[in-house]
Amino acid sequence: MSASVNALPKRCVLITGATGAIGGALARAYANQNTHLIVHGRQQAALATLAEACRELGAEVTTSSVNLTDEAALSQWLQTLCAEHTPDIVIANAGKNTHPQAPGQLEPWDDVQALLDINLKTPIAMAQHLAPAMKARGCGQLVFISSLAGWHGLPTTPTYSASKAGIKAYGEGLRGLLAPYGIGVTVVMPGYVTSPMCNAMPGPKPFEWPPEKAAKVIKQGIDANRARISFPFPLNFGTWWLAVLPAAVSQWIIKRLGFDHTDHQEGA
């Protein structure tokens, strides 16, 4: 039995932003003796700790800290990976948030550009390199991390909301485009998941989930090639209605729930 299990080809899973809460939990969820994990993160110590934990679970692990927003470096990294073995599952999880620092104040432009680069431009750039390689092989799975904030822009995080709405639409479009070639595309729309980024976000955080619970639900959805994975209920249902209702009604609801200003920050 052991010999036959070890003889199985290793599934290659690439996760960017693996030193974040969801990324790290996903890496651990996928780690087993039949998986080659490629984990990416900019926090070197956290990445080394994660890699060791996944190796202890039986996975073969490769690490990377390439600058994902450097187009040349990203291109070279992905070309090298695909020359050796095109990843079977790619979870473009790296991301960041920014928010207005005072009521009525727009986010700093440098922060806006940096957020759009990593949340929106980078996953699209990754697809540009990976989709042709997956198409040539005849299979693969691309996973994009959106957010429930992608249903309707939140005044507390307008640029973040825009980036998540953009990657949601891109993933949905790509799913139909690539399905005939054996490539699945899944869009993940989490609610609040406990993490430093979540803690720094202004506004209330209803139905907050631990990252391990989120990773379990995400992995189940990816394994089933679901078009969309959203959680938790009933927050996902409620935010979906924000996109369906007349805008004036949705904005009234958002204001009533306290998502229209920045003074909910810790320490504010």
Side-chain angles (χ1 to χ4, degrees):
M1 176 65 74
S2 178
S4 63
V5 170
N6 291 334
L8 291 173
K10 287 183 181 291
R11 176 174 61 174
C12 183
V13 180
L14 167 61
I15 304 172
T16 63
T19 50
I22 293 178
L26 280 168
R28 291 180 174 87
Y30 275 102
N32 60 50
Q33 62 182 332
N34 294 314
T35 300
H36 174 200
L37 276 174
I38 302 172
V39 288
H40 167 276
R42 300 301 299 275
Q43 303 172 47
Q44 298 288 336
L47 187 63
T49 300
L50 174 66
E52 184 57 31
C54 292
R55 290 187 182 107
E56 290 177 359
L57 292 169
E60 176 187 349
V61 183
T62 302
T63 63
S64 174
S65 294
V66 66
N67 182 356
L68 298 177
T69 60
D70 182 326
E71 291 187 32
L74 176 64
S75 176
Q76 182 59 53
W77 179 52
L78 294 177
Q79 286 178 19
T80 300
L81 292 180
C82 290
E84 296 172 357
H85 178 77
T86 300
D88 299 290
I89 300 172
V90 175
I91 304 175
N93 173 70
K96 64 186 303 181
N97 192 15
T98 185
H99 51 80
Q101 299 301 303
Q105 184 180 94
L106 300 185
E107 299 133 310
W109 182 239
D110 287 348
D111 292 348
V112 168
Q113 289 181 303
L115 182 148
L116 292 176
D117 279 347
I118 190 64
N119 286 14
L120 184 59
K121 187 175 178 180
T122 290
I124 293 176
M126 291 178 67
Q128 288 281 324
H129 291 285
L130 293 163
M134 290 179 172
K135 181 180 175 183
R137 187 181 57 193
C139 64
Q141 185 83 11
L142 294 170
V143 182
F144 299 105
I145 308 298
S146 178
S147 166
L148 293 182
W151 285 120
H152 191 291
L154 297 177
T156 48
T157 54
T159 302
Y160 177 82
S161 300
S163 71
K164 296 306 184 179
I167 201 61
K168 170 185 174 291
Y170 181 75
E172 290 168 346
L174 217 58
R175 183 176 174 91
L177 179 68
L178 299 178
Y181 306 98
I183 303 171
V185 180
T186 296
V187 174
V188 183
M189 301 183 72
Y192 294 101
V193 176
T194 304
S195 66
M197 187 171 80
C198 176
N199 294 339
M201 292 176 70
K205 302 175 179 68
F207 306 103
E208 185 174 333
W209 274 17
E212 295 76 16
K213 183 176 182 180
K216 181 180 179 181
V217 169
I218 293 170
K219 184 178 181 298
Q220 289 173 344
I222 293 171
D223 290 346
N225 187 26
R226 288 179 54 189
R228 181 185 299 143
I229 304 165
S230 71
F231 57 85
F233 183 85
L235 187 62
N236 55 355
F237 183 65
T239 51
W240 175 81
W241 272 104
L242 293 177
V244 176
L245 293 168
V249 176
S250 296
Q251 289 162 10
W252 179 84
I253 292 172
I254 287 169
K255 183 175 182 179
R256 291 281 294 180
L257 293 176
F259 289 100
D260 62 323
H261 44 73
T262 61
D263 60 3
H264 285 282
Q265 300 172 64
E266 289 187 13

